[in-house]
């Protein structure tokens, strides 16, 4: 398997954590796509992902899979029992729902803030920017974090009693918020405690 990524960037980091959780990291060849140099806009890369975004997983038969959720779904089923995306119909549905809430409410909102209200990836890469809309996305991200804080007041992980892909998305989304200089309110105490606990997982700490 190959993973096209830009190491250290948030969406590729989601897949790095999933790979580590499934003990698959050493089975992957990582190929760096320099986003700052615009390598993701080259025709050869757009053939792999028409969205022009990393990460992309490429299988031995040439199949390319983009979107972190789809890649994680594949990895979770290719190595042992599913541990990240749920086993029963109910688990799968709840994890999917919470993953999407973390993604839309934090990850995607922070990303939109970064690309619109800050210099983002620089003038050569950021074509259209709308700062007002970007600022609004920061408010959305803070609202998303407040929602997750409320969820974590009632249960240890976002989708219930076990760690899942929803936790990966939210954890990396908070890291992206730090990078984009969105200040996470200190009174989100449940979110902060959960974040400290997740940071200790071997898939993240090492
Ligand atoms: N929904 C996609 C996923 O789940 O994979 C998002 C992918 C994405 O936005 N990737 C960013 C990218 O390639 C990299 S990251 O900075 O968000 O980690 N962006 C290219 C660009 O031109 O914005």
């Amino acid at each position: 398997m190959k993973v096209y990524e830009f190491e250290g960037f948030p969406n590729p980091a989601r897949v790095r954590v999933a790979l580590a959780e499934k003990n698959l990291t050493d089975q992957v060849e990582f190929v760096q796509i320099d986003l700052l140099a615009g390598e993701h806009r080259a025709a050869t890369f757009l053939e792999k992902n028409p969205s022009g975004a990393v990460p992309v997983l490429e299988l031995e038969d040439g199949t390319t899979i983009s979107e972190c959720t789809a890649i994680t779904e594949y990895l979770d089923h290719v190595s042992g029992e599913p541990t990240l995306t749920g086993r029963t119909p109910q688990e799968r549905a709840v994890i999917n729902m919470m993953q999407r809430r973390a993604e839309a409410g934090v990850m995607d909102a922070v990303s939109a803030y970064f690309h619109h209200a800050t210099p983002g990836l620089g003038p050569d890469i950021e074509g259209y920017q709308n700062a007002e809309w970007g600022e609004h996305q920061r408010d959305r991200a803070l609202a998303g974090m407040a929602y997750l804080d409320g969820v974590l007041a009632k249960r240890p992980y976002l989708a219930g009693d076990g760690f899942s892909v929803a936790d990966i998305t939210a954890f990396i989304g908070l890291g992206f918020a730090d990078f984009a200089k969105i200040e996470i309110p200190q009174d989100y105490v449940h979110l902060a405690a959960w974040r400290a606990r997740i940071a200790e997982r071997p898939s993240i700490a090492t």
Side-chain angles (χ1 to χ4, degrees):
M1 293 187 282
K2 282 185 187 169
V3 169
Y4 296 84
E5 63 156 17
F6 196 32
E7 193 171 357
F9 271 52
N11 277 292
R14 293 165 70 184
V15 166
R16 287 256 182 184
V17 174
L19 283 166
E21 288 283 341
K22 299 296 292 185
N23 292 315
L24 285 169
T25 306
D26 59 5
Q27 293 187 35
V28 169
E29 179 191 340
F30 293 96
V31 181
Q32 300 305 312
I33 301 295
D34 188 341
L35 300 185
L36 301 174
E39 287 179 3
H40 56 305
R41 303 272 167 85
T44 45
F45 185 75
L46 291 173
E47 270 173 32
K48 299 183 190 303
N49 182 8
S51 302
V54 290
V56 173
L57 173 68
E58 188 170 75
L59 306 182
E60 301 304 329
D61 72 355
T63 301
T64 48
I65 303 171
S66 57
E67 296 299 326
C68 292
T69 45
I71 295 171
T72 303
E73 176 85 20
Y74 176 81
L75 298 175
D76 204 21
H77 286 82
V78 85
S79 167
E81 284 286 296
T83 53
L84 301 174
T85 56
R87 296 178 186 84
T88 67
Q90 183 172 336
E91 269 178 19
R92 291 178 60 77
V94 171
I95 289 172
N96 196 332
M97 174 180 76
M98 291 308 300
Q99 191 293 134
R100 185 57 195 144
R101 287 183 184 169
E103 188 172 53
V106 178
M107 190 79 202
D108 292 351
V110 170
S111 177
Y113 169 78
F114 173 71
H115 288 290
H116 285 273
T118 81
L121 298 178
D124 293 341
I125 304 296
E126 306 292 355
Y128 169 76
Q129 288 192 297
N130 183 330
E132 189 186 347
W133 190 74
E135 291 294 339
H136 175 63
Q137 299 307 307
R138 182 183 50 182
D139 297 342
R140 278 193 56 223
L142 291 172
M145 291 174 204
Y147 166 72
L148 298 184
D149 183 61
V151 169
L152 292 164
K154 298 189 204 106
R155 54 199 196 211
Y157 296 98
L158 286 176
D161 290 333
F163 178 82
S164 76
V165 65
D167 298 291
I168 298 177
T169 302
F171 183 86
I172 301 295
L174 294 184
F176 198 177
D178 287 342
F179 177 77
K181 299 192 169 42
I182 294 178
E183 207 168 313
I184 303 170
Q186 289 189 354
D187 54 351
Y188 296 169
V189 291
H190 307 291
L191 190 66
W194 163 90
R195 190 182 188 190
R197 202 156 27 88
I198 300 293
E200 287 173 4
R201 293 183 75 81
S203 62
I204 289 168
T206 52

